[in-house]
Amino acid sequence: MKYIYLILIILMCACGSYETVKVTLPNGFKVKAEIADTPQKAELGLMNRNHLGKHKGMIFPFDKDDSRLFWMKNTYINLDILFI
């Protein structure tokens, strides 16, 4: 497997400098996801966001299988996490 994607599926606001992609999950559900493609973007993640948009999320691409740690510091919105 070339990439493993960690998707935080949430309903969130659109935000500044993240590139976005349309993601279709295996069950056909579609999400517009921001890409956290740098260490800085991944560390910031969804911190400090108060507004939730519909069918939006964030994707964290990784190039190899490994254990990952995520935290909820300053995260004011409810999150669901999905490993694909």
Side-chain angles (χ1 to χ4, degrees), residues 27-73:
N27 68 356
F29 187 80
K30 295 182 182 191
V31 176
K32 185 174 182 183
E34 297 177 10
I35 304 172
D37 56 358
T38 67
Q40 295 79 15
K41 289 178 185 177
E43 184 175 335
L44 183 61
L46 298 171
M47 288 175 28
N48 303 310
R49 299 193 190 193
N50 295 311
H51 176 73
L52 305 177
K54 193 170 185 176
H55 304 299
K56 300 212 176 167
M58 182 170 280
I59 188 167
F60 294 78
F62 297 105
D63 61 355
K64 66 177 186 163
D65 292 338
D66 204 353
S67 296
R68 306 289 176 192
L69 300 174
F70 292 86
W71 57 87
M72 298 288 294
K73 180 180 178 182

Side-chain angles (χ1 to χ4, degrees), residues 5-6 17-18 39 43 74:
Y5 293 103
L6 169 69
S17 64
Y18 290 90
E43 184 175 335
N74 298 323

